[in-house]
Amino acid sequence: QSALTQPASVSGSPGQWITISCTGTSSDVGGYDYVSWYQQHPGKAPKLMIYDVSKRPSGVSTRFSGSKSGNTASLTISGLQVEDEADYYCCSYAGGSDLYVFGTGTKVTVL
Amino acid sequence: EVQLVESGGGLVKPGGTLRLSCAASGFTFSSNSMNWVRQAPGKGLEWVSSISRSSRYIYYADSLKGRFITSRDNAKNSLYLQMNSLTVEDTAVYYCTRTNAGGEDFDYWGQGTLVTVSS
């Protein structure tokens, strides 16, 4: 099972919105509504930001939203803030020999 | 408050073995599947293994080639990862994670424990 494809980096100015894509196959992203997104600051453990494609855990800002179309999922961050600068990873349930597959990761830079 | 605390990491020689532990608290441990996820230095996240609530189902990444064994002790609220025949490619921070009940995401993560495989 190959890693899901994400852009290596995305940047934006404070207040803007950005979108991170996550492309897989019909065996993972396209086959299940179980895409999740994780934020990771340097030296810290990842934090769940979005689950089941578009649901937000309690305490996560409404500026974070998720969606999916076919084999590609997306994370949108609106009203970009300095504290949003971090690495972001998507993950999909795959149900096969590799139960889960992560994305390659995207570094978000706030200009 | 949910807490996951990993231990057991360290320096080991290629071909060696190591056993990681994860102590869980703040929730009913037997109600959730659990997982190991690792991250090599400067690299992305990689799913390693998952174990169901009763240990009936255990899954591993194909890349491990049967070298790792995951287990849990619900009476001790603990998750384990026995790692055998370690190679330099296994060098990583290993995270213990909880599967969201009813879902397929990792809603809580430990702080991680570093495993370094080097001669």
Side-chain angles (χ1 to χ4, degrees), chain A residues 38 40 45 48 97-100, chain B residues 39 47 60-62 104 106 110:
Chain A
Y38 303 87
Q40 186 179 35
L48 177 66
S97 53
D98 278 349
L99 203 57
Y100 300 95
Chain B
Q39 185 171 35
W47 171 75
Y60 301 96
D62 275 350
E104 299 292 351
F106 311 125

Side-chain angles (χ1 to χ4, degrees), chain B residues 4-118:
Chain B
L4 300 172
V5 180
E6 302 93 338
S7 59
L11 176 63
V12 61
K13 288 182 168 52
T17 65
L18 209 57
R19 189 191 194 213
L20 306 184
S21 300
C22 171
S25 61
F27 67 103
T28 302
F29 184 67
S30 59
S31 295
N32 293 76
S33 294
M34 298 294 294
N35 318 272
W36 291 100
V37 174
R38 70 182 180 182
Q39 185 171 35
K43 302 296 185 181
L45 300 172
E46 179 185 17
W47 171 75
V48 171
S49 176
S50 297
I51 184 168
S52 64
R53 294 174 294 175
S54 65
S55 304
R56 180 176 182 181
Y57 302 104
I58 306 177
Y59 304 90
Y60 301 96
D62 275 350
S63 61
L64 298 180
K65 295 184 174 65
R67 298 181 295 116
F68 290 9
I69 300 172
T70 294
S71 61
R72 65 189 293 166
D73 185 334
N74 288 343
K76 293 183 178 180
N77 292 339
S78 293
L79 174 71
Y80 306 101
L81 182 66
Q82 176 68 41
M83 302 186 294
N84 304 315
S85 303
L86 285 162
T87 72
V88 294
E89 286 74 33
D90 295 316
T91 294
V93 173
Y94 285 74
Y95 293 102
C96 165
T97 75
R98 188 183 86 164
T99 303
N100 194 353
E104 299 292 351
D105 54 272
F106 311 125
D107 60 353
Y108 285 93
W109 296 61
Q111 85 288 352
T113 187
L114 176 62
V115 172
T116 302
V117 184
S118 174

